[in-house]
Structures are given as C-alpha cells and as structure tokens.
Amino acid sequence: MQVKDRSFLITGGSSGLGAACATSLVANGNRVMIADVNCEAAEQLIGEGGSKIAFKQTDVRNATEMQSAIEASLDIHGPLHGLITCAGILRGARIIGRDTPHDLELFREIIDVNLVGTFNAMRLAAEAMVRTEPDQEGERGVIITTSSIASWEAQIGQAAYAAAKGGVASMTLPAARELGQHGIRVVSIAPGIFATPMMAEVTPAIRSSLESQIPFPQRFGEPSEFAHLVEHIIGNRMLNGTVIRLDAAVRMGPK
Ligand SMILES: NC(=O)c1ccc[n+]([C@@H]2O[C@H](COP(=O)([O-])OP(=O)(O)OC[C@H]3O[C@@H](n4cnc5c(N)ncnc54)[C@H](O)[C@@H]3O)[C@@H](O)[C@H]2O)c1
C-alpha cells in the first residue's frame, strides 16, 4: 500500500525502534497511534508530531487496554491500515542460576509481554482492519511484528526471550495464510543489535565485544534503519508471510 495518508498503530512506540517508526511515518504524511506503558517519552513525540500522532497508555498484555487503544485510533485517525508491534522487554537468566533455577514467573513475564502481547495486538488490530475499505488491489492492511535474531541463535541466559521471539517469528506464516483472504499481509522483522534504550545499559566493553562479532557494518543498527525497512514492507505488496533478518550478517555466539 502507499506509505502516505494511512493510519498505523504502533505498540512500544514511545521508545527505540517503535519511536523511530512513529517519527518517520508521521514525517511521511501518515497518522500514528502509540500504544505503550511509557507516557513520558510518548509526550515528547506528540510534541514533535502534532495532531498526526496520538498516545493511549496501554499494557499490551491487557485485552481491554489494547482494545481501547484500537478504538482510540479509529476515533482519532479513522480506519486502521497497519499495526507495528515493537513493545518488548529483554531480561536474561540462566536455566540453572547460582543459587536457584530460572524464576518461572520471570519466564512467564517475558513470554507474556513479548509473545502474548504481540498476539493480543495482532488479533484485535486484524479485526479492526477487516473493516477498512480495501484499496484498488484489495489490500486492507499490513501487520509488522518484531521478532529477533535470538529466535535462532540466542545466547546463554536467553531461553525465555528466545522462546518468545521464536514464537513471534513462527506465527507469521499462519497469520499471513489466514488474514490474506481479508487483504491483510503479515511480516516479521528479526533485528540484530540496534542502538536503542534497550541496549543502552551495556557497558562500553560489552558493546565493543558485540560490535566485533558483526561482519559489516561493524556497529549497532540505527532505529531509523529499522523504520526504513518497516516503510519498505508497507509499500511492497509481495512481502508477506516471511521473517526478514535485519542484522548486518551477525550470528551471535553462545555468550
Ligand atoms: N534493540 C535491539 O537490539 C533489538 C534487537 C532485537 C529485537 N528487538 C526488539 O525490538 C522491540 C523494540 O525494542 P527497542 O530496542 O526499541 O527497546 P525499547 O526499550 O527502546 O522500546 C520498547 C518499548 O516497549 C514498551 N513496553 C515494554 N513493555 C510493554 C508493555 N507491557 N506494554 C506496552 N509497551 C511496553 C516500552 O515502554 C518501550 O517504549 C522489542 O520487542 C525488542 O525485543 C530489539
């Protein structure tokens, strides 16, 4: 679909990769609703984006809150054309810790935010997009999820994150197969390492060790490079039912 004069909902759009998508989509003449738990960062984006950008405080795990965010998007920006899911958390723990085994509640929380939250947004946004008027090729909308290269080569301590992101990647094809009949495409992006607040806590030593594992370019990705791919996916109708690695050829080692 054209990447102009369209309405998008972005989970996790207050920060990092989601914020870069919000900024770029608005700059290109689209309307954006951010659904995120973080109000402060969203307010700054709203200040920059004017009336084209709105925010609804939303925990992606919560069905009622997610539905309210979609209804707010429909009320403010009209029919929905796309969902971009960027809400996520990164926590690490070994299966056998120093004193105790992996906390089961921590495992559940990581699955809940990253996987259940993505599915919650997908199911409700898809239902809303079915009511969007199709364009001349019958396209109603596009769903872009954020997986991770951890789906395939997660490091020690990332069992929960890998399970969640692998789940996000795996549901791409069944979702695309089902939603195709409604003119809705589904694509997942598996980022390598990007310079966002999620990665800001790594020490300079860990950062340079991570960067040394990246073939080229030997640096963290910029959020704008993620947003660039999102906009390409929106515009390219042949991209559907697939997971795209955006990773500068990095293949993470075990540690
Ligand atoms: N940065 C990377 O290197 C990298 C690599 C691979 C995958 N990812 C994935 O990309 C996505 C975006 O990450 P980022 O790097 O921009 O991180 P980030 O921390 O900058 O942004 C994540 C956003 O998700 C929001 N969020 C967290 N829990 C939420 C919840 N329960 N409900 C609603 N919003 C919630 C946060 O408030 C934040 O605004 C995540 O899913 C992350 O796992 C990031």
Side-chain angles (χ1 to χ4, degrees):
M1 72 174 67
Q2 65 175 44
V3 197
K4 192 173 187 241
D5 200 23
R6 293 287 180 262
S7 166
F8 296 94
L9 189 134
I10 306 179
T11 72
S14 295
S15 167
L17 304 183
C21 294
T23 306
S24 187
L25 284 167
V26 167
N28 288 322
N30 300 283
R31 306 176 293 283
V32 166
M33 168 63 71
I34 293 173
D36 199 303
V37 284
N38 185 341
C39 309
E40 255 172 58
E43 271 162 22
Q44 200 181 325
L45 287 174
I46 291 168
E48 293 159 12
S51 64
K52 300 273 188 193
I53 189 159
F55 170 74
K56 183 83 179 163
Q57 189 167 24
T58 311
D59 188 324
V60 288
R61 294 170 288 188
N62 185 303
T64 313
E65 290 183 18
M66 200 62 236
Q67 185 63 44
S68 301
I70 286 169
E71 277 161 21
S73 174
L74 296 172
D75 284 350
I76 298 169
H77 293 321
L80 189 65
H81 300 99
L83 166 72
I84 300 146
T85 67
C86 290
I89 53 169
L90 177 67
R91 308 242 198 292
R94 285 177 177 249
I95 297 166
I96 305 171
R98 204 164 284 155
D99 305 314
T100 54
H102 195 299
D103 181 349
L104 196 53
E105 280 316 307
L106 175 64
F107 188 92
R108 285 203 177 97
E109 186 190 359
I110 293 168
I111 297 288
D112 219 13
V113 175
N114 294 324
L115 177 57
V116 180
T118 298
F119 184 70
N120 188 26
M122 175 188 282
R123 76 191 177 101
L124 297 173
E127 196 206 25
M129 281 190 271
V130 164
R131 285 177 268 134
T132 299
E133 196 63 34
D135 68 12
Q136 71 283 5
E137 264 209 62
E139 188 168 37
R140 287 190 165 86
V142 56
I143 295 172
I144 302 172
T145 63
T146 309
S147 173
S148 166
I149 58 166
S151 303
W152 305 281
E153 61 254 11
Q155 300 190 294
I156 290 171
Q158 289 193 312
Y161 188 71
K165 292 299 186 177
V168 172
S170 293
M171 68 187 176
T172 308
L173 184 59
R177 284 176 161 167
E178 178 185 337
L179 299 178
Q181 64 184 306
H182 301 293
I184 299 169
R185 290 183 289 124
V186 185
V187 175
S188 189
I189 301 175
I193 315 168
F194 277 70
T196 68
M198 187 178 271
M199 296 307 296
E201 281 164 28
V202 301
T203 62
I206 293 177
R207 182 170 181 144
S208 58
S209 150
L210 287 170
E211 284 177 335
S212 71
Q213 297 178 47
I214 306 173
F216 184 82
Q218 213 162 59
R219 60 167 173 79
F220 286 8
E222 289 299 328
S224 60
E225 293 169 317
F226 178 89
H228 190 180
L229 178 58
V230 163
E231 289 183 344
H232 179 82
I233 293 168
I234 295 167
N236 190 332
R237 291 186 211 273
M238 284 305 286
L239 281 171
N240 193 12
T242 194
V243 183
I244 303 172
R245 293 183 68 122
L246 186 67
D247 64 6
V250 73
R251 300 291 181 270
M252 303 299 291
K255 291 184 190 176

